[in-house]
Amino acid sequence: MTAIVALGAGAVVALCCSAAYLWRLLRTLPLSRRIVNLLMPLSQIAFVICSFMLRPYFVHWNLIAFLAAVTGIICAALNPMFFKSLLDAERADIEAERAALLEDQVAAQEHYVLLMQQTQREAARIRTELDAELAGVEEALDAGDAASAQAHLAGAVHAVRTPQGRRCQHPVVDALLAAKDLWCREQNIDLTIEAEVPDDLTTPDVELCALFANALDNAINACAAVPEGARWIRLRAHPAHGHFLLEVENSCAAPGLAAPRKTQQAPQADVDAQHADAATTEGAPHPAHDDAGTLPRHGLGLSIMREIVERHAGDLSCTQDGSTFKSSAIWRL
């Protein structure tokens, strides 16, 4: 009797030490998260104590108490390894997400380099044209030819005109949209862009590029199922009431049709199946899932988008109505 009670007391002490180890192991996590995780060793302690409190109700109480105490000691020994493996797995997920964001940042920097190269070439062209026009003005003035001087002045004004081809104010997003526009033209997709993206937007450039790139890549990929001439994408983006809204609407295969061939790989971004991880779908079962109900092959892009918008207190929704698919991302600025 005394030995069994001592064994039970040892099991309780060991489980308390296990709980203390868990509390220290999770010291970097929020307090609420640490308290929730403590429920596991606390429940084990309660199990051991309850087994000893049931002595009046069981004939073979000694055997029950002995097994409960031994189980408690085994749990106390295994708990640290179990909790450490869980923490390592969580850290691995965080590192994987960080690696994905770093890859997106590299892509954003490459887009920015292309933009800077394009800007440098444009500046050199403007300087050459402006120098030529100003030289013509000087020659016309020396010759007393007012009409020619006026024509060269008009040419100089035209040389320094504001470019009309920009799609938004944000330079990095503008470069990305230019690349996607080129890809759409190669795929015979009618791309319409209505984007108001201020250059001082508080959302980091890497996250903006990840959101815009993945949304457009999904749409372009879905258009591969549509015959040429019926492929279209409409992108709308603008800030409103302290939030930013990104909507991409596109043509796609009607529900129930076979999965289309994939388009060529998108530059600087992961290409995802258009219908992966959709929030709501009208019509037949989603074509991105197979008959066994497994996950779609390309769901990482939408997962990254959802993680980014949720990090900024936002939401991502995807809906399909017939042959039209729409993704909407909104997040707080």
Side-chain angles (χ1 to χ4, degrees):
M1 172 68 182
T2 304
I4 293 179
V5 172
L7 185 64
V12 171
V13 171
L15 288 169
C16 289
C17 294
S18 175
Y21 173 80
L22 173 62
W23 184 264
R24 183 179 181 279
L25 182 66
L26 303 180
R27 61 186 179 276
T28 59
L29 299 180
L31 178 61
S32 59
R33 172 77 178 279
R34 298 167 74 184
I35 293 175
V36 170
N37 280 273
L38 279 180
L39 293 177
M40 182 173 178
L42 292 179
S43 65
Q44 295 167 348
I45 293 173
F47 168 73
V48 175
I49 294 176
C50 287
S51 67
F52 278 82
M53 295 178 64
L54 294 175
R55 178 182 179 183
Y57 305 99
F58 293 95
V59 176
H60 302 289
W61 170 82
N62 290 341
L63 178 60
I64 295 175
F66 175 78
L67 292 177
V70 171
T71 302
I73 293 174
I74 294 175
C75 289
L78 296 179
N79 279 346
M81 293 184 290
F82 174 70
F83 293 131
K84 190 174 185 304
S85 63
L86 286 180
L87 187 61
D88 291 341
E90 183 173 352
R91 287 173 176 169
D93 290 339
I94 294 175
E95 291 300 324
E97 180 182 357
R98 184 178 302 172
L101 289 177
L102 289 176
E103 290 177 358
D104 290 332
Q105 186 174 14
V106 170
Q109 294 298 331
E110 291 176 350
H111 282 297
Y112 192 74
V113 169
L114 292 176
L115 174 64
M116 292 299 100
Q117 292 175 347
Q118 179 181 354
T119 303
Q120 185 177 12
R121 289 193 297 269
E122 183 68 13
R125 182 192 63 79
I126 291 175
R127 177 179 296 179
T128 300
E129 292 184 6
L130 186 60
D131 288 345
E133 296 294 343
L134 292 179
V137 170
E138 184 178 1
E139 293 176 359
L141 291 176
D142 290 341
D145 189 348
S148 179
Q150 193 73 21
H152 283 294
L153 284 174
V157 171
H158 180 76
V160 297
R161 69 192 185 282
T162 302
Q164 301 297 320
R166 297 198 61 177
R167 295 157 184 83
C168 68
Q169 300 89 341
H170 197 288
V172 179
V173 176
D174 179 66
L176 186 146
L177 292 177
K180 301 303 179 185
D181 189 16
L182 177 60
W183 189 28
C184 284
R185 288 199 297 269
E186 293 174 352
Q187 298 295 324
N188 296 316
I189 299 173
D190 181 18
L191 174 62
T192 302
I193 298 175
E194 299 176 10
E196 181 185 347
V197 188
D199 55 4
D200 58 350
L201 205 63
T202 57
T203 306
D205 291 355
V206 58
E207 295 182 343
L208 278 176
C209 285
L211 290 167
F212 276 83
N214 282 294
L216 282 172
D217 288 347
N218 292 340
I220 295 172
N221 229 16
C223 285
V226 181
E228 293 189 11
R231 301 176 179 178
W232 56 268
I233 298 174
R234 288 195 293 268
L235 180 145
R236 290 181 292 272
H238 60 86
H241 307 294
H243 291 74
F244 194 90
L245 176 64
L246 170 62
E247 291 183 337
V248 177
E249 192 174 4
N250 59 273
S251 58
C252 65
L257 296 182
R261 63 174 179 82
K262 298 295 181 183
T263 60
Q264 64 185 31
Q265 183 69 25
Q268 315 295 344
D270 296 326
V271 179
D272 307 285
Q274 170 69 19
H275 311 295
D277 201 18
T280 57
T281 305
E282 301 179 8
H286 216 290
H289 298 268
D290 58 22
D291 295 337
T294 56
L295 292 175
R297 293 180 58 192
H298 303 283
L300 181 59
L302 289 175
S303 299
I304 291 176
M305 292 179 65
R306 179 167 285 107
E307 290 174 3
I308 293 175
V309 297
E310 289 179 352
R311 191 180 303 126
H312 294 279
D315 183 59
L316 172 68
S317 64
C318 302
T319 58
Q320 182 175 354
D321 183 8
S323 59
T324 300
F325 190 89
K326 180 178 180 181
S327 62
S328 299
I330 184 169
W331 64 92
R332 183 179 300 171
L333 296 176

